[in-house]
Amino acid sequence: MSQNTLNLSQKKAILLLEDGSRFEGIAIGKIGTVGAEICFNTGMTGYQEIYTDPSYYGQIVVNTTSHIGNYGVEDSEQESNAPKITGLVVNTFSQDYSRNTGHGSLQEYLEKNGIVGVSELDTRLLVRQIRDTGAMNAIISSEDLSDDELQRRLAEVPSMDGLELSSFVSTKEPYFVGDENSEYKVAVLDLGVKTSILTHLASRGAYLKVFNAKTSFEEMASWNPDGYFLSNGPGDPSAMDYAVKTAKQIIAEDKPLFGICLGHQIISLACGISTFKMHNGHRGLNHPVKNLVSGKSEVTSQNHGFAVNREDVENSDLVELTHVNLNDHTCAGIQVKGKKSFSVQYHPESSPGPHDSRYLFDQFINLFKS
């Protein structure tokens, strides 16, 4: 254990919000200063999967569950090669862990990966502040900086509105997942894909080639896939004209197409449907969604700060509404009319989360058979 780890219990950290709110706590992770948009996740478990989800790139995450770090970290629970969050805020942080399959403590993990965080502050009060005021930028510092200096650095943090981030987390070179002798080939446009999504597709008989976010349709099509997948990812979809262009060409080809979260937003934009930045987004494991086709409801895992304009969907001649979020009645899924293209605004791989929505992977694979 490093000297940095041993001294953390004595080290103060400051969280400063864009609206001027100031919180004081105890440093966790790396000693340093970071700024980004702040958001909260209400999930009661799965913190490692949350931290390694590329959709959180460029964000400070607040865990609303009170105890974090108690079961350590495990290699199999990575959703990407390393944490993608910018910073971390928790209530009670455990330096020790009690899982016999764990590969190390969360503190060692955060420190190794350069993640700055703060603990021992009132996360209930903080979440209420974000919920009521809306998404905003924030800065965490465990260095000896004045409030004036923190305010200066905070003012330099870019707004998430209009920010393109997928190109920062997407694979640099194509790679393959699954059995090359599988019955179907799926081209994946990696906008910030989670490992478990690829695992679910491959386990259903798909051989995947994962492409960089800015790959042209022509290059993807030259592999002669049976279908396409547009992944989740970070940032503002309206800043991704390159992906929207690709989605338009995929839809026109009319091979099976499935989109999740950011992929859902990109498909919607390709069909002339607008997106917008939400007040504070949906991030958690218990969001109720109704499937308007089957009439059934499902409890879903969600992580997004942008959404598709439901009014545009309902007035569109190109798409139809298939899923609705039962908390705020936002669009949670669409189907492109007359095409084999559909998408949802949540995470059916549910890592972590309930398994209600995994039928969507089967629905996608069945399109190859029809």
Side-chain angles (χ1 to χ4, degrees):
M1 188 174 289
S2 73
Q3 190 64 36
N4 185 26
T5 301
L6 293 173
N7 290 337
L8 276 177
S9 60
Q10 296 5 207
K11 189 69 176 173
K12 182 177 75 173
I14 302 297
L15 171 68
L16 188 65
L17 304 189
E18 196 173 8
D19 67 359
S21 301
R22 185 181 187 276
F23 298 81
E24 188 171 311
I26 302 299
I28 57 175
K30 177 187 175 183
I31 300 302
T33 302
V34 293
E37 182 180 83
I38 192 166
C39 64
F40 58 88
N41 186 294
T42 60
M44 294 292 288
T45 186
Y47 55 73
Q48 188 177 356
E49 292 95 323
I50 293 169
Y51 305 158
T52 55
D53 180 351
S55 297
Y56 280 112
Y57 183 81
Q59 291 181 306
I60 293 170
V61 172
V62 181
N63 287 114
T64 64
T65 191
S66 56
H67 299 284
I68 295 294
N70 51 308
Y71 57 83
V73 294
E74 185 175 309
D75 294 345
S76 65
E77 293 172 0
Q78 297 270 106
E79 287 295 343
S80 62
N81 61 344
K84 295 298 185 291
I85 60 173
T86 297
L88 178 62
V89 181
V90 305
N91 185 344
T92 302
F93 185 80
S94 177
Q95 297 276 353
D96 301 317
Y97 64 98
S98 56
R99 180 169 54 161
N100 59 8
T101 59
H103 295 127
S105 73
L106 181 56
Q107 167 55 31
E108 292 167 334
Y109 179 77
L110 295 174
E111 191 177 340
K112 174 185 175 182
N113 288 284
I115 304 299
V116 176
V118 56
S119 66
E120 302 300 328
L121 51 74
D122 190 343
T123 50
R124 288 171 66 92
L125 176 62
L126 173 60
V127 168
R128 288 176 64 183
Q129 181 77 8
I130 300 168
R131 183 190 63 195
D132 295 343
T133 306
M136 69 185 98
N137 286 339
I139 194 164
I140 301 173
S141 181
S142 48
E143 299 177 299
D144 298 323
L145 301 177
S146 67
D147 282 3
D148 287 344
E149 174 64 12
L150 292 177
Q151 288 280 11
R152 186 190 68 78
R153 295 194 187 190
L154 178 55
E156 295 175 350
V157 177
S159 169
M160 187 65 73
D161 202 357
L163 202 58
E164 189 280 322
L165 295 176
S166 282
S167 59
F168 292 93
V169 296
S170 182
T171 181
K172 303 307 177 188
E173 298 293 334
Y175 64 93
F176 296 91
V177 177
D179 182 355
E180 63 180 344
N181 297 313
S182 295
E183 190 172 358
Y184 307 112
K185 294 164 59 177
V186 175
V188 177
L189 193 64
D190 176 14
L191 308 178
V193 72
K194 292 173 65 178
T195 298
S196 57
I197 291 176
L198 302 178
T199 300
H200 274 284
L201 290 171
S203 70
R204 286 164 170 79
Y207 182 50
L208 315 176
K209 186 173 184 179
V210 185
F211 293 89
N212 175 268
K214 293 190 174 182
T215 304
S216 68
F217 167 73
E218 290 77 14
E219 182 176 342
M220 296 175 73
S222 68
W223 187 54
N224 195 29
D226 298 291
Y228 297 85
F229 177 79
L230 269 58
S231 82
N232 62 293
D236 186 344
S238 68
M240 300 174 63
D241 290 346
Y242 61 89
V244 174
K245 177 183 177 182
T246 301
K248 286 180 180 179
Q249 293 171 299
I250 294 173
I251 293 169
E253 189 185 29
D254 197 24
K255 286 185 176 181
L257 169 63
F258 181 23
I260 288 177
C261 283
L262 183 57
H264 161 73
Q265 296 158 11
I266 295 298
I267 290 171
S268 298
L269 288 167
C271 294
I273 309 299
S274 64
T275 58
F276 64 95
K277 195 174 193 307
M278 305 177 75
H279 181 65
N280 53 37
H282 295 156
R283 298 177 181 90
L285 313 180
N286 62 345
H287 289 259
V289 165
K290 183 173 182 179
N291 183 324
L292 301 179
V293 179
S294 69
K296 296 180 179 180
S297 294
E298 51 203 86
V299 182
T300 69
S301 177
Q302 301 202 7
N303 169 24
H304 58 101
F306 292 84
V308 168
N309 188 314
R310 177 173 172 175
E311 184 178 357
D312 282 2
V313 172
E314 293 177 331
N315 292 328
S316 174
D317 294 327
L318 297 179
V319 304
E320 57 185 335
L321 187 69
T322 58
H323 297 75
V324 174
N325 187 301
L326 294 177
N327 281 337
D328 60 8
H329 308 293
T330 51
C331 170
I334 63 167
Q335 167 76 45
V336 181
K337 295 180 180 179
K339 301 288 186 178
K340 299 176 183 178
S341 304
F342 71 102
S343 58
V344 292
Q345 185 62 84
Y346 52 95
H347 283 262
E349 82 288 350
S350 54
S351 180
H355 300 172
D356 299 22
S357 307
R358 291 184 174 177
Y359 70 91
L360 290 162
F361 291 109
D362 298 318
Q363 180 177 316
F364 179 48
I365 297 300
N366 285 337
L367 288 176
F368 300 123
K369 303 174 183 179
S370 63

